[in-house]
Amino acid sequence: IIAASPRRAWPFAALGVAVAVIAAMALPTLPHLRETPPPVPPETRVEIVTPSTGQPVSFALSPDGRQIVFVASGDGPSRLWLRPLATTIAQPLAGTEGAIFPFWSPDSRSIGFFSGTALKRLDVAGGAPQTLATVTNGYGGTWHTDDVILFAPNLTATPLMRVAATGGTATAVTAPGALQGHVAPQFLPDGRFLFFVRGASDDTGIYLGALDGGTPTRLMTSGSGGVYLSSQGVASGASATRGGGPRSAEAFGEGGWLLWLRPGTQTLVAQRLDLATATLVGEPVTLAEDVRSDSGRSAHMAVSVAATGLLAYRSGGGSLRQLTWVDRSGAARGAVGPQDWTLNNPSVSFDGGRVAVSRTLQGNEDIWLFDGLRESRFTFAAESERYPVWSGDGARITFSPTQLAVRSLYQKRSNGAGDAEPVVASDQTTLATSWSKDGRFLLFNSVDPQTNVDMWVVPTTGVRAPSVFLKTPFREGYGMFSPDGRWVAYQSNESGRPEIYVRAFITPSGEASANQAAGQWQVSAGGGIHPVWRHDGKELYYLNPAGEMMAAPIAITGAAVVPGVPVVLFPARVVGGGIDVLQARQYDVAPDGRFLINTVVESAAAPITLIQHWNPEARK
């Protein structure tokens, strides 16, 4: 055996002693290292560009923060598109034409949405959409972990309803008061839910409710709905360490953040929501500027959140619009007024010389008149006013205020003289659709929670007593008088999809039986919305589901209507396309045969901004 040299052995011994000393010094610091919080991740904001859309507020992040679904048109009809955030590709979802206000299941595997008169669900893995419940104008839904869906079946005067995620009987959860609407619900982590109350100024606001039907708590007075953002994923308060381990802020009753638009602005603000006491605490923090909301309805914001704390919002306007004259071939023949993303529901006077349209300026929606190169504001009230319709002699314009506190149809002299006066007072949502050319009668839609959209008529002279023109379990509306006043064209979904029909106009008698027994003739084939007569009554125009302008010859033989074969005239590029997504009619026809189209002139909408690791402390 050969012994190691002492001179060679000492460096190894010294090294061993040094390692032991360093290890001993490090041991006291290990608990400290374990307790040191991780660095605050930086806030990031990125943009997602979508195809053009007439529903810029209709998008939703999946709860797991991995996908986003949005409504867009692209080169086809308006429908849902799905994009995994790990890719740059979005794909349209089959069977979702006409979808609005999508929302996700808690497991991020299914999507709820509204289309026409139905609340539907679609499983992302595949299959056709399933109808869960009937609605009038669905206005927001939310999905609980117990597979309960809470939804607003109408914009006005109906409670929030609950239904199983597999379908079944829907039952009321809230009890709206007179002139109220409960909309835009969102479940919170503890099973309670936020919702928005539209109504008189002393009722509006963001409320916190419960499925047991107890009295809801108003969190704040607001002109917009609220959205709850979990503290998870928020950079300054993602977690708290108590009892030796990290736990979410909600676990301690601290809650997350309530998001809403500052009144009279498009500024998105956030404030701490204490779930234990159902109160807002601290000061509001600005999150983003120029955030979209649902113009004229003041409930839905263009904001969505994931359970992970990921946040999405859309700024600015939707697709830019231009009122454009086109001929029968679709060739442009001039424009009316400025380009503007807020233009809605144009109506041409019977002489073709003037155009009435709703337009939002400085946050308020009013009726405007365009006359050649001149433009002038026609209404001035604080509430939104929409759906202008000219009288046959051009002397008056009927319109609909959209605030819940005002349910009447109004009319005003088209020269601007005098004040607006009510034509119809109703406890239901109404909008005028057509004057008879002789000025004696006015057709209008009325939304009944029991029978959906119905058609009514009111004399415009003498005793203005409204009476039913057509009332069925189906959705019929947008009635248009023929030039001679003998017939009414309208759309109905009695076949399962909107189609165009014609039936005789019978002088109102207070009963619907005469009109219902008069018979009807189907004009469209393959779907159609928003009919308009040619000014000699020999043709009907309408939009097919692809958004193409259609023309169907109309012949009258005695007491019968003989529709001809519809033909395609041109692709319209009209706002909303050929799917009825609550946009009402977005075109009209002049006496000389020109079409006035509310045209989409931009191919892309404002992008959706994603915020990760939002840092409210930095914003302060």
Side-chain angles (χ1 to χ4, degrees), residues 275-454:
L275 293 179
T277 62
T279 56
L280 295 171
V281 295
E283 295 297 322
V285 179
T286 297
L287 201 153
E289 302 285 354
D290 193 30
V291 174
R292 282 298 310 273
S293 64
D294 197 12
S295 176
R297 291 168 178 170
S298 301
H300 265 288
M301 301 183 295
V303 177
S304 179
V305 297
T308 60
L310 186 66
L311 170 70
Y313 70 91
R314 176 174 259 147
S315 293
S319 297
L320 201 60
R321 305 172 182 184
Q322 174 72 71
L323 299 181
T324 306
W325 289 113
V326 301
D327 62 21
R328 194 177 176 88
S329 70
R333 299 300 181 189
V336 176
Q339 293 185 354
D340 189 329
W341 62 267
T342 70
L343 299 173
N344 267 304
N345 314 120
S347 179
V348 180
S349 61
F350 276 78
D351 64 3
R354 291 178 290 175
V355 174
V357 66
S358 67
R359 179 189 186 190
T360 301
L361 195 65
Q362 297 178 338
N364 196 59
E365 188 176 32
D366 291 289
I367 308 300
W368 285 69
L369 298 182
F370 295 116
D371 180 4
L373 299 177
R374 295 182 294 273
E375 59 182 69
S376 59
R377 186 173 171 181
F378 182 67
T379 61
F380 299 87
E383 65 267 11
S384 295
E385 289 137 334
R386 277 184 157 188
Y387 314 120
V389 178
W390 290 88
S391 64
D393 59 4
R396 291 164 288 174
I397 297 174
T398 303
F399 57 90
S400 302
T402 58
Q403 295 285 48
L404 269 169
V406 183
R407 293 293 191 87
S408 300
L409 292 178
Y410 277 76
Q411 68 175 5
K412 183 179 177 181
R413 292 186 179 276
S414 59
N415 63 7
D419 296 326
E421 60 174 344
V423 180
V424 173
S426 174
D427 59 356
Q428 298 178 354
T429 301
T430 57
L431 67 93
T433 60
S434 178
W435 285 77
S436 61
K437 193 170 183 179
D438 60 13
R440 295 175 57 203
F441 298 105
L442 177 69
L443 279 168
F444 64 95
N445 287 358
S446 186
V447 179
D448 188 319
Q450 304 301 318
T451 58
N452 217 299
V453 180
D454 303 310

Side-chain angles (χ1 to χ4, degrees), residues 36 138 145 148 182 218 237 293 370 415:
T36 301
T145 52
V148 170
H182 292 181
R218 181 158 67 175
S293 64
F370 295 116
N415 63 7

Side-chain angles (χ1 to χ4, degrees), residues 136-137 428-433 443-457 467-479 490-493 512 516:
T136 304
N137 295 316
Q428 298 178 354
T429 301
T430 57
L431 67 93
T433 60
L443 279 168
F444 64 95
N445 287 358
S446 186
V447 179
D448 188 319
Q450 304 301 318
T451 58
N452 217 299
V453 180
D454 303 310
M455 296 168 61
W456 288 65
V457 63
S467 60
V468 171
F469 175 74
L470 187 59
K471 187 182 184 76
T472 76
F474 305 105
R475 179 189 179 100
E476 55 269 329
Y478 304 115
Y490 61 98
Q491 73 181 60
S492 171
N493 67 347
Q516 289 174 327

Side-chain angles (χ1 to χ4, degrees), residues 95 103 111-115 118-122 129-133:
F103 58 96
I111 301 169
F113 63 95
F114 302 92
S115 179
L119 166 65
K120 299 184 177 183
R121 70 173 281 178
L122 176 68
Q130 174 189 353
T131 296
L132 305 180

